[in-house]
Amino acid sequence: MHHSSAAVSGELTKPPTAPLQPLLDLITNVLSLLLHSSLTVRSFIGRWQILRSKLFSLNSSLSSLSESPHWSQNPLLHTLLPSLLSNLQRLTSLSDQCSSASFSGGKLLMQSDLDIASSSLSTHISDLDLLLRSGVLHQQNAIVLSLPPPTSDKDDIAFFIRDLFTRLQIGGAEFKKKSLESLLQLLTDNEKSARIIAKEGNVGYLVTLLDLHHHPLIREHALAAVSLLTSSSVDSRKTVFEQGGLGPLLRLLETGSPPLKTRAAVAIEAITADPETAWAISAYGGVTVLIEACRSGSKEVQEHIAGAISNISAVEEIRTTLAEEGAVPVLLPLLISGSTSVKEKTANFISLISSSGEYFRDLIVRERGLQILIHLVQESSNPDTIEHSLLALTQISAMETVSRVLSSSTTFIIRLGELIKHGNVILQQISSSLLSNLTISDGNKRAVADCLSSLIRLMESPKPAGLQEAATEAAKSLLTVRSNRKELIRDEKSVIRLVQMLDPRNERMANKELPVMIVTAILSGGSYTARTKLIGLGADRYLQSLEEMEVSGAKKAVQRLAAGNRLKSIFTRAWKDH
């Protein structure tokens, strides 16, 4: 059941006690007299010229108000009109004082009083114009509209939102509180409402409610709404950013209570997900704020801020700032102690900064990042976390000391073999590439011989780009060991697959150099069994065709196959002669 926004408000459900028409008539009379008396002022004439212009605007707004069919039913006017009348009466008094031939009062005090009254008048005019523009005065009982159900069309939701933001902007604390409660309920109940709010609502005003001088409950509700808007759609997220939301969110993350910090962290992570807005964190001086939130925040805050830091790391210039401000030693421990989600986001951050140069790689290693990343690859079951960790290890393996550690770790090499056999294609590609780039002992190569069949299979996969080459290089590396070559030749399916790749008509393997490299590697040990099996499957015919097509390496492979045949015929003749 959907309740009206007024029905949940207690005091807002009470029917207006005093009719508004007599009040509007009184205001109109006072305004008419004031316009007349303002012509006779003799002091502060410049200020009164500005005031007369505003009074004419007010007169026009009040005329439009009285012509609106349902204006008298809008409860906002029960606050707005009495306040307006009080201000006009104050201006009448000031007008009388300024009309005397010789003003005898304090000039500075009068200037101040006129400026305050003028400012209040501007606010009243703005509020009235907002009411008139919103269209709510043309709808009966607009203020008690029921919260639109999720099945409502866009026009109904848009009207409700305009009405709601009108109350939010014009109303007092209670109106603001109830309006924000309705806004939160709408965002929670209706997924499509966020985009309409971004278009029809005044998100900029909502952002101003995040300021510290607002009532804590109003600020808390406003932050909850902003957090939901940033998380609900790309349009509403961009609107919050464009309306200046990032600055107040960073302040709340830095100085707010624990619940406010959590909501601010959610919103900041969402905003920084857009690359074109991520740079703004640095512009607002927010890098230090994010790092401190990660260092001292709750687990919930850490999770979202680790995500935000990962997001802004996509901007290369910000990576240097993050490193200089000490992000690496703060985030690396989260790869051990953090939740699954935190580990994934942090690993992505480490992966990104590891690709930025030697300075960053040194920093990671110096903070025990190598041991942490190896542990993560071996223990994590999250494919994304493993992917980011492997990418980081690939980058830092450019350091000779790191490469030696990885190459000599049998458990790590075996883990790479498992990922080649059972991981997703991205993990298979990164693991294959890393395996081929490490200087692995023959013993460790024998330990992962069982992934050769998977590597041969991956050689047929055109996507993702680079997978075929990575699988080929890894297989070629493993085939330098005799026992691995023997094991592959015994694998009937893999050998058939390899020979089929040599077929010039096989379009799945466009780059014929790759299977030629593997055939050459298999034949490098001079195995008679290998030659016999390859020739029996037609590899010689395909290789001769590839040689004619001038495919690199084909000539050498043909020679090795032929050498085997010549050797065989020499031995056969010798045996017969004997």
Side-chain angles (χ1 to χ4, degrees), residues 271-292:
I271 287 174
T272 55
D274 296 321
E276 60 269 30
T277 58
W279 61 266
I281 286 284
S282 186
Y284 277 101
V287 171
T288 310
V289 177
L290 295 189
I291 294 171
E292 183 53 40

Side-chain angles (χ1 to χ4, degrees), residues 154-362:
K154 284 186 178 179
D155 290 342
D156 287 344
I157 297 172
F159 178 76
F160 179 82
I161 289 166
R162 288 195 298 273
D163 177 37
L164 186 151
F165 270 90
T166 302
R167 285 178 278 141
L168 183 61
Q169 290 174 250
I170 299 175
E174 191 63 25
F175 268 111
K176 282 179 168 53
K177 178 174 170 289
K178 299 305 175 185
S179 300
L180 287 167
E181 286 173 355
S182 295
L183 182 63
L184 287 171
Q185 192 174 347
L186 180 64
L187 280 165
T188 305
D189 293 353
N190 192 329
E191 289 180 359
K192 64 183 178 184
S193 67
R195 295 182 67 181
I196 306 173
I197 290 167
K199 184 180 178 184
E200 301 288 346
N202 188 339
V203 176
Y205 181 78
L206 189 63
V207 166
T208 66
L209 297 180
L210 301 179
D211 288 345
L212 297 175
H213 68 269
H214 283 289
H215 186 280
L217 190 58
I218 289 174
R219 190 167 66 246
E220 186 178 328
H221 283 348
L223 178 56
V226 167
S227 186
L228 284 169
L229 281 170
T230 57
S231 308
S232 298
S233 81
V234 174
D235 289 343
S236 56
R237 182 165 70 225
K238 285 185 176 177
T239 302
V240 169
F241 173 73
E242 288 164 359
Q243 294 299 320
L246 188 55
L249 287 167
L250 285 166
R251 282 196 297 275
L252 287 169
L253 178 66
E254 189 174 22
T255 62
S257 63
L260 293 184
K261 286 185 176 185
T262 302
R263 287 195 183 278
V266 171
I268 290 167
E269 181 183 21
I271 287 174
T272 55
D274 296 321
E276 60 269 30
T277 58
W279 61 266
I281 286 284
S282 186
Y284 277 101
V287 171
T288 310
V289 177
L290 295 189
I291 294 171
E292 183 53 40
C294 241
R295 179 187 285 113
S296 59
S298 65
K299 289 196 179 298
E300 291 85 358
V301 167
Q302 282 182 337
E303 175 167 344
H304 295 292
I305 297 306
I309 289 175
S310 174
N311 290 339
I312 66 175
S313 299
V315 182
E316 193 163 351
E317 296 80 5
I318 296 182
R319 290 177 209 160
T320 305
T321 309
L322 283 164
E324 290 172 350
E325 295 291 341
V328 173
V330 171
L331 269 79
L332 270 175
L334 297 181
L335 291 176
I336 301 169
S337 63
S339 65
T340 302
S341 175
V342 168
K343 287 178 179 177
E344 179 187 331
K345 294 169 182 177
T346 305
N348 185 45
F349 160 68
I350 298 297
S351 166
L352 284 166
I353 66 162
S354 70
S355 66
S356 292
E358 190 176 345
Y359 164 74
F360 298 93
R361 293 193 282 270
D362 284 342

Side-chain angles (χ1 to χ4, degrees), residues 365-385:
V365 174
R366 198 162 60 242
E367 297 292 339
R368 289 192 66 253
L370 174 58
Q371 291 78 10
I372 293 171
L373 289 166
I374 291 173
H375 176 78
L376 209 53
V377 168
Q378 290 175 335
E379 300 299 327
S380 178
S381 58
N382 182 323
D384 292 326
T385 301

Side-chain angles (χ1 to χ4, degrees), residues 547-565:
E547 184 185 3
E548 291 167 10
M549 294 163 62
E550 298 186 350
V551 171
S552 177
K555 184 176 182 180
K556 184 178 180 182
V558 168
Q559 287 171 346
R560 287 195 172 179
L561 272 182
N565 283 340

